[in-house]
Amino acid sequence: MPDTAPPQDLLPTLKAILGPRGLLTEAADTDPYCEDWRRLYRGRTPAVARPATAREASDVIRLCAARGVGVVPQGGNTSMVGGAVPAEDGSQIVLSLARMRAVRDLDPADMTMTIEAGATLKAAQDAAAEAGCLLPLSISSEGTATVGGVLSTNAGGNNTVRHGNARDLVLGLEVVLPDGQVWNGLRRLRKDNTGYCLRQLFVGAEGTLGVITAAVLKLAPRPREIEIAFCALPSPEAALALFARLRQHDPAAVQAFEYMSGAGMELVLKHIPGTVLPLSAPAGHYALIELATPRPDAGLRAGLEAVLEAALADGTVLDAAIAESDAQRAAIWRLREEHAEAQKREGASVKNDVSVPVSRVPELLRRASEACEALMPGIRVVAFGHMGDGNIHFNLEQPEAMDPAAFLARDHEIMDRVNEVVRELDGSFSAEHGVGRLKPYMMPGWRGGAELDTMQRIKRALDPKGVMNPGKVLP
Ligand code: MLT
Ligand code: ZN
């Protein structure tokens, strides 16, 4: 890994390549490029390269590779694990994809879109919607997170339960490799068995094997009917039972099934202006249900009402509200999507983005809560997330009177305690946020032996100088 400041001649050379078009910024330490949105990671960088084409990105990387200078690709910088922040020693340059935002092609007949990596996920969704299609990837930070970032982290989010992760939506990629070669793999074929599946190597690699500059994404038919309900529940077991009943009723219709705890909801209502609980009384547990179908005659509403009526009758659900308008739908989603922001406003938090088999989510919630409360009396469990995928953000908020820095100083201890439970439940320590700079230390314990060894050999083969996103993913 490069561990010295970039050589003196790097900036003038980069300026000569990118300067005339204003594609290089000499960075100040206060730039947003140097810090993640939660303000947990602060780095330094001498320059931010902002290429407008894959060729320009290639020029930058080739130059950095020749001089052994680390390159940190950055999209919306919304990583939860410090995946896009440069190191503190100022030895790495940031490569921002902000200028590469074009929709190169959108084909409603093939149901594909070819889009550049710096486009926000929201812009990609909007372009798909304008063409009468759906890009079925949705995450809380979609207004800022970029296509390159969600692919590099294999983002999951709210619709994974029906449409899969980012990985499941990629047909082709354009990637600048660590030696500067541009791989144009922007194929939009549904079938293509021609050797190793390279695109999947770069998806989820967090920029450590190259920079994704454009992608071909699969689109889905636009839903014609959407129903959203918000439910109060007596327990996580009841949430799981409700999920099973919805799936039994119409397995194809469940587009999101999100769990929220009473503690998280209290923080949202306290910190996010304009949020209101759409139910008569607060509860200990909540679920957000989204059903969707491209069929015009599916009768979603009647089906949802039938499932909820039965669940209310036998006490599986305590109370429920079904959205009657787009405004109500957005208001309900906001209660879920503002959890991360509400936690940030409340104080310091430690995030555990874990997954277990769906059937074991209630056990995870109970056992990990007990473990954390025993470790640190007063710690507040704010668990929420994509219950339909078994992916819970088992987040911990600092005890009210505790100093935030003292709390964060114990982050490994807290994460490790949660992960002990996760391991016993056959889960994973990172479900959708990736490994970044926060979790490489966990890799040997979870992915050691042949798995980590293979990853390290791939890294060395593609990036022998360790230029791409140094210090991330691998220990
Ligand atoms: C979300 O689903 O809102 C984010 O992935 C989670 C988080 O704040 O941990
Ligand atoms: Zn999430």
Side-chain angles (χ1 to χ4, degrees), residues 24-96:
L24 184 88
T25 317
E26 280 186 54
D29 289 353
T30 48
D31 282 347
Y33 300 104
C34 295
E35 192 173 55
D36 71 312
W37 74 278
R38 291 172 67 211
R39 306 196 145 175
L40 293 182
Y41 299 95
R42 161 147 288 286
R44 285 174 48 234
T45 186
V48 180
R50 290 151 37 94
T53 62
R55 179 52 54 203
E56 286 177 347
S58 150
D59 288 343
V60 173
I61 290 175
R62 204 180 288 277
L63 205 63
C64 290
R67 290 162 170 77
V69 173
V71 178
V72 181
Q74 198 176 94
N77 200 9
T78 57
S79 172
M80 299 283 190
V81 288
V85 174
E88 283 92 351
D89 64 4
S91 66
Q92 304 164 356
I93 70 149
V94 169
L95 189 140
S96 161

Side-chain angles (χ1 to χ4, degrees), residues 130-308:
E130 266 168 43
C133 300
L134 173 76
L135 175 60
L137 188 69
S138 169
I139 59 176
S140 302
S141 56
E142 62 201 21
T144 312
T146 59
V147 168
V150 299
L151 293 176
S152 296
T153 55
N154 183 28
N158 305 330
N159 300 151
T160 309
V161 67
R162 172 141 173 218
H163 296 282
N165 295 317
R167 189 180 289 297
D168 299 300
L169 302 175
V170 183
L171 290 175
L173 287 184
E174 176 185 83
V175 178
V176 181
L177 300 169
D179 62 0
Q181 286 189 79
V182 179
W183 171 49
N184 184 342
L186 290 173
R187 294 187 280 268
R188 51 180 164 160
L189 303 172
R190 304 276 166 165
K191 286 190 165 181
D192 177 25
N193 284 347
T194 48
Y196 303 138
C197 185
L198 287 189
R199 67 179 186 278
Q200 295 297 1
L201 195 57
F202 298 102
V203 175
E206 302 184 36
T208 60
L209 299 178
V211 185
I212 296 174
T213 49
V216 182
L217 303 176
K218 280 186 214 166
L219 303 178
R222 189 183 48 183
R224 287 208 168 92
E225 223 186 298
I226 299 180
E227 294 293 346
I228 290 176
F230 188 80
C231 305
L233 302 150
S235 63
E237 285 78 7
L240 192 63
L242 180 62
F243 176 57
R245 286 185 202 184
L246 289 161
R247 282 204 135 173
Q248 237 165 9
H249 182 80
D250 186 350
V254 183
Q255 174 140 295
F257 190 89
E258 298 281 313
Y259 168 82
M260 288 149 280
S261 68
M265 192 56 61
E266 270 176 35
L267 295 186
V268 171
L269 297 171
K270 174 176 166 190
H271 290 292
I272 309 296
T275 51
V276 179
L277 192 70
L279 304 172
S280 53
H285 311 271
Y286 301 94
L288 185 160
I289 301 163
E290 180 171 297
L291 305 182
T293 177
R295 285 174 47 194
D297 58 348
L300 279 192
R301 177 65 177 241
L304 177 60
E305 282 174 355
V307 172
L308 289 180

Side-chain angles (χ1 to χ4, degrees), residues 415-428:
M415 289 189 291
D416 294 348
R417 186 59 68 95
V418 172
N419 283 334
E420 277 167 26
V421 178
V422 172
R423 192 190 289 276
E424 283 168 21
L425 297 177
D426 298 327
S428 168

